[in-house]
Structures are given as structure tokens and as C-alpha cells.
């Protein structure tokens, strides 16, 4: 199935104003009707939790109400409908998209992808021994730069039955497992996407079912560090990061949020194809991060010399 | 240890029904927060019992649910009783926040004994 990845995450939230301000400060562009877009048109939609247009909430009360996947074409939509209709209700909405629940009860949408093709420069580095990526006299550090999220990268679910959850995505929707943490869960990528993962799932008690985090890709490590620093300076609270993961190699910086989940910036993820052999590791501080810097607002000792005694 | 008592703020600087974080040890992050309800002030270590050391606010000083009736951890939606720090919903049910004694002077200044914070911080 030629599923490309998540186009949109739909949240039904407690405090719409706080969530809207949060996404604006994060760098997404408000385009109306609660839609906040990255540069390629992928988005987060913020609605009040009792908005009538929202699918029902999970029993856990998670604010994530729907994950909308972008697919390549109508043929893929037809194939998804045929596959999922064998054992569950699949609705076709007025806009032509499909709606159905996965095996854990998460509401999914499927639509012909709205992703715009991006044509943007990569971050450049000058490495000794390699041709310079930045020409002479072109500077790399610009304090005024304003990094913007380029595309919706991935979403992470807490699920009560991770084996069943994985089977649904792999066997019914054609996702591939790239790597897994033993006893915790798999990193999955859909067939139409090369990113290491667009979905990661974590086994938890049922009452926690919901979204653990979502994240958008930035251009690279420098943008990630700069965006995270700017976000911190606006008063947002770091949960974990900045650092770099081992599985996926993506740089990360996680923040607390009013969405009942963490929100991350990520950058520079590995890409894979069908030849990749899945890896497995126990989950601990050594296997989740190749390095980690603890964000603190005081990064050097300062102030007047000690008073004379 | 030079300063054994740390002045946090005056009650007037903390609006009723709000919360505020403090960094008395100069760690570059708020290690504790206080919540004011009328004349009652409660202080807790800024660490969710679900994941010790995990900071709780989603933005500077934002430690309460949107209806201001409970303390919230904006990591995984845990909610806590303002009065006693007990987890009422979320991943750390049955656990509690770590409370800190706050001393209020006659002119309504809030003080903390540094040893209380240092002692509780090392337990995390």
C-alpha cells in the first residue's frame, strides 16, 4: 500500500488558546479553522474537545482524536477501503477521504496526500578533507534565522497491546518495522516513505492509551538547536534533549505541551528501503541516545566576583 | 552553605489561584513551584513521580490544569491534588508530589529553608 505518512494530526483540547499559541511559537503557520501548517502543508488541527466535528475520544481521554495519513493515489485509497472493510466499518467522508479505527481504537483518516513538494536547501557544513559545502565568505551561524518546521515527521502512540497494534499496521496497511525496543515497541514506516519511522508505539497500561508525542522535521541539527533554543526562550519547558537518537539517528528535543503529550523538534533521520534488516535493543539511556545535552538556561557561571569576607 | 534561608517572593506577587516556579539553587531551571489558594500556599518539587526529574509545567509557571483546580504534569497528563500533592489521575496514580515546607513571615513573605530543598532534591 502506497501510504506516504501522516498528513495531519487532529486534537480536541482543553484550552484552545494555549494550544494555538503553542503551535504558533513552535513555528507552524495558522491558516484558519484551527489548522497549523508546516512548510509542505502537513499540519496539526486544534479544536475544542467538545467540537461536534471530532471523532469520539478514546476511553483514556487522550486529546489526539485522529491521525490522517496521506496516500499516493485513489488506487491506494480503494485498496485500503477494500482491505479494512473486511472486518470493520470504513466511512467515506464528503471530501473523499476514508475514516476507520485501527485495532486499538485510534481513529485514522486516509486521503490523497496534501503534501507539497519542497524545494529547499539542506543545511551545510564544512568538513576538513571534504569539499566545502559553504562557499568562501558565506557564514553558517545567523542569530536572526527563524527555523520553520518543514514536514510532519512522526507520531508516537501509547498502546495497550503492542503486538496486536503492530500486526495491524504491518499486515493490513503494509508498514515495515525498521527497528524495535525489546518489550516496548516497534518503529514503523509505511511503504511509500523512506523515513526510519513515521509511527512508533509503546506498550503501556490501557488507561494511558493515546499520543506520547508528535514532531516535525527541521532542516538539520543547527536548525533544531536554534529552534529549540528560541522555543525555550519563550518559556516552554524541556522534557528531554537536545540530543541524538540511535535508532533513526534523528536529533531530538522534546518539550512539555498543553496537548497532553510531548511535542518534539527532530532533524536528520535515517532513510531506509526494503533491504534494511530490523535491529532490536533493550531500552535504556545507552540505547536511546548517542549523546544528550541537558538544556539549561544558565550555561556558564557568571556574576560578580565573590564578596570579600 | 552560605544562605540558609531563601526568600521566594511576597504573597502579593503571587495572584490567588496561580502557580509559579523558582530556582533558588541557581540550577538554570525551576526546581520547585508554589501554588496559592487564598491564604494557603503549597510548595512542591518540580518533578513528576511518574518519571523522577521530569519537569511538569508546559510553559514557565504553568503548573495548573486549565480550570486551575488541580496541579498538572504536562508530560503525560497526570493530575494532582493541590492540597496534598496526591496523584488523582494519570500514570502515577497512588504516588504523590514531594512537598516542601514554606514559611510565611508576618509581612507575608514566603521563605524556604535551603536544606529542605537540597535534601528533597537528592532523594529524586
Amino acid at each position: 500500500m502506497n501510504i506516504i505518512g501522516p498528513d495531519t494530526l487532529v486534537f480536541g483540547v482543553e484550552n484552545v488558546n494555549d494550544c494555538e499559541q503553542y503551535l504558533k511559537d513552535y513555528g507552524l503557520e495558522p491558516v484558519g479553522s484551527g489548522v497549523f501548517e508546516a512548510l509542505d502543508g502537513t499540519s496539526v488541527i486544534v479544536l475544542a474537545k467538545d467540537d461536534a466535528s471530532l471523532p469520539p475520544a478514546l476511553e483514556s481521554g487522550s486529546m489526539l482524536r485522529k491521525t490522517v495519513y496521506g496516500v499516493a493515489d485513489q488506487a491506494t485509497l480503494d485498496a485500503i477501503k477494500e482491505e479494512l472493510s473486511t472486518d470493520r466499518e470504513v466511512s467515506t467522508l464528503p471530501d473523499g477521504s476514508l475514516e476507520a479505527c485501527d485495532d486499538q481504537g485510534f481513529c485514522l483518516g486516509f486521503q490523497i496526500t496534501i503534501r507539497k513538494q519542497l524545494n529547499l536547501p539542506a543545511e551545510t557544513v564544512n568538513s576538513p578533507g571534504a569539499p566545502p559545502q559553504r562557499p568562501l565568505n558565506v557564514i553558517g551561524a545567523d542569530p536572526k534565522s527563524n527555523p520553520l518546521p518543514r514536514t510532519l515527521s512522526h507520531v508516537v502512540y501509547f498502546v495497550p497491546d503492542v503486538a496486536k497494534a503492530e500486526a495491524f499496521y504491518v499486515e493490513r496497511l503494509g508498514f515495515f518495522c525498521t527497528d524495535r525496543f525489546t518489550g516496548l515497541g516497534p518503529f514503523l514506516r509505511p511503504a511509500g516513505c523512506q523515513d526510519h519511522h513515521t509511527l512508533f508505539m509503546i506498550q503501556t497500561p490501557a488507561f494511558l492509551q493515546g499520543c506520547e508525542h508528535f514532531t516535525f522535521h527541521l532542516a538539520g541539527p543547527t536548525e533544531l538547536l536554534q529552534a529549540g533554543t528560541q522555543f525555550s526562550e519563550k518559556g516552554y519547558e524541556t522534557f528531554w534533549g537536545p540530543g541524538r537518537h540511535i535508532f533513526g539517528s534523528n536529533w531530538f528535543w522534546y518539550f512539555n505541551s498543553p496537548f497532553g503529550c510531548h511535542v518534539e523538534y527532530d532533524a536528520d533521520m535515517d532513510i531506509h528501503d526494503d533491504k534494511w534488516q530490523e535491529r532490536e535493543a533493550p531500552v535504556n539511556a545507552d540505547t536511546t541516545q548517542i549523546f544528550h545535552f541537558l538544556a539549561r538556561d544558565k550555561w556558564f557561571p557568571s556574576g560578580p566576583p565573590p564578596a570579600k569576607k | 552553605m552560605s544562605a540558609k534561608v531563601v526568600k521566594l517572593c511576597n504573597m502579593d506577587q503571587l495572584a490567588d489561584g496561580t502557580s509559579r516556579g523558582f530556582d533558588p539553587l541557581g540550577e538554570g531551571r525551576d526546581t520547585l513551584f508554589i501554588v496559592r489558594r487564598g491564604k494557603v500556599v503549597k510548595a512542591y518539587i518540580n518533578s513528576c513521580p511518574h518519571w523522577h526529574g521530569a519537569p511538569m509545567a508546559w510553559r514557565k509557571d504553568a503548573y495548573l490544569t486549565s480550570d486551575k483546580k488541580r496541579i498538572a504534569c504536562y508530560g503525560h497528563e497526570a493530575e494532582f491534588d493541590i492540597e496534598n500533592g496526591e496523584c488523582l489521575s494519570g500514570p502515577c496514580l497512588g504516588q504523590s508530589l514531594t512537598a516542601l515546607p514554606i514559611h510565611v513571615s508576618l509581612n507575608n513573605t514566603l521563605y524556604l529553608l535551603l536544606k529542605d530543598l537540597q535534601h528533597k532534591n537528592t532523594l529524586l
Side-chain angles (χ1 to χ4, degrees):
Chain A
M1 302 237 189
N2 201 349
I3 297 172
I4 290 162
D7 273 357
T8 295
L9 300 173
V10 184
F11 283 86
V13 303
E14 196 79 41
N15 191 319
V16 172
N17 289 340
D18 283 352
C19 289
E20 291 191 337
Q21 187 62 48
Y22 187 95
L23 293 181
K24 271 188 262 183
D25 288 340
Y26 176 83
L28 298 179
E29 190 188 354
V31 295
S33 307
V35 182
F36 291 77
E37 282 186 358
L39 295 177
D40 73 343
T42 52
S43 63
V44 173
I45 297 180
V46 179
L47 297 170
K49 63 178 181 179
D50 52 4
D51 190 290
S53 69
L54 285 168
L58 289 166
E59 211 173 304
S60 62
S62 170
M63 294 188 209
L64 176 65
R65 300 289 277 273
K66 186 173 179 179
T67 303
V68 182
Y69 283 96
V71 309
D73 47 29
Q74 185 61 43
T76 307
L77 278 186
D78 294 342
I80 291 169
K81 184 162 191 176
E82 188 181 342
E83 170 63 34
L84 296 185
S85 296
T86 55
D87 64 350
R88 71 200 67 209
E89 191 181 336
V90 181
S91 319
T92 302
L93 303 187
D95 63 1
S97 70
L98 305 178
E99 191 171 281
C101 286
D102 76 2
D103 277 354
Q104 305 287 284
F106 284 97
C107 177
L108 305 181
F110 300 92
Q111 65 186 14
I112 296 173
T113 187
I114 49 75
R115 288 171 185 235
K116 291 175 276 206
Q117 187 72 40
L118 293 179
N119 183 20
L120 297 168
E123 275 188 1
T124 54
V125 295
N126 288 337
S127 294
Q133 292 182 342
R134 281 195 312 282
L136 288 167
N137 306 320
V138 173
I139 55 162
D142 175 8
K144 290 184 183 154
S145 107
N146 180 30
L148 295 176
R150 293 189 169 192
T151 182
L152 180 53
S153 163
H154 61 269
V155 60
V156 176
Y157 292 162
F158 280 153
V159 295
D161 184 342
V162 77
K164 192 175 174 193
E166 178 181 352
F168 173 81
Y169 287 95
V170 171
E171 291 166 18
R172 308 296 298 280
L173 295 177
F175 283 50
F176 293 88
C177 174
T178 41
D179 290 316
R180 79 176 62 245
F181 282 125
T182 311
L184 189 82
F187 293 89
L188 302 178
R189 69 170 181 89
C193 174
Q194 296 177 322
D195 272 3
H196 177 269
H197 60 281
T198 66
L199 177 64
F200 176 50
M201 294 190 285
I202 299 171
Q203 171 86 49
T204 61
F207 74 94
L208 284 179
Q209 185 176 353
C211 179
E212 201 292 322
H213 73 263
F214 64 86
T215 176
F216 285 76
H217 285 313
L218 294 169
T222 299
E223 277 206 354
L224 178 135
L225 294 169
Q226 200 157 357
T229 302
Q230 290 171 357
F231 202 49
S232 300
E233 285 167 355
K234 289 173 183 161
Y236 296 103
E237 184 110 38
T238 292
F239 169 68
W240 182 23
R244 190 171 198 183
H245 286 309
I246 296 178
F247 283 175
S249 301
N250 44 311
W251 291 68
F252 62 83
W253 195 337
Y254 299 88
F255 290 85
N256 284 355
S257 88
F259 290 86
C261 65
H262 295 122
V263 176
E264 182 194 0
Y265 287 115
D266 91 334
D268 195 11
M269 183 182 268
D270 293 330
I271 55 175
H272 295 289
D273 64 14
D274 307 356
K275 296 184 188 73
W276 176 249
Q277 294 291 313
E278 166 188 331
R279 298 171 294 181
E280 179 163 349
V283 63
N284 56 48
D286 293 335
T287 57
T288 55
Q289 54 199 3
I290 192 162
F291 46 71
H292 179 224
F293 317 97
L294 203 57
R296 291 286 183 262
D297 63 5
K298 289 182 181 171
W299 56 278
F300 59 86
S302 63
K308 286 179 184 162
K309 297 198 174 169
Chain B
M1 190 179 352
S2 50
K4 293 182 177 173
V5 178
V6 182
K7 179 181 167 183
L8 296 176
C9 66
N10 193 278
M11 194 81 101
D12 303 343
Q13 297 167 296
L14 190 66
D16 192 11
T18 64
S19 57
R20 185 166 153 190
F22 292 90
D23 180 19
L25 301 176
E27 292 187 15
R29 65 183 186 102
D30 288 341
T31 44
L32 70 108
F33 63 94
I34 56 183
V35 184
R36 178 179 171 189
R37 261 188 170 179
K39 289 187 176 176
V40 179
V41 172
K42 297 286 178 183
Y44 297 99
I45 299 264
N46 180 18
S47 165
C48 184
H50 173 217
W51 196 261
H52 281 302
M56 297 171 60
W58 66 272
R59 192 169 59 193
K60 171 75 182 141
D61 300 334
Y63 293 88
L64 300 178
T65 53
S66 43
D67 63 9
K68 313 290 184 201
K69 289 181 177 166
R70 291 177 173 185
I71 294 165
C73 174
Y74 285 93
H76 296 121
E77 280 193 285
E79 294 185 8
F80 303 86
D81 192 319
I82 292 174
E83 294 306 312
N84 56 22
E86 189 183 329
C87 178
L88 300 171
S89 72
C92 39
L93 267 179
Q95 295 176 280
S96 292
L97 298 173
T98 306
L100 290 168
I102 291 290
H103 306 273
V104 185
S105 71
L106 289 175
N107 67 353
N108 280 331
T109 304
L110 307 179
Y111 290 97
L112 174 79
L113 297 182
L114 213 48
K115 70 177 173 61
D116 287 335
L117 179 62
Q118 286 169 331
H119 174 63
K120 296 279 173 59
N121 239 356
T122 56
L123 296 178
L124 298 177

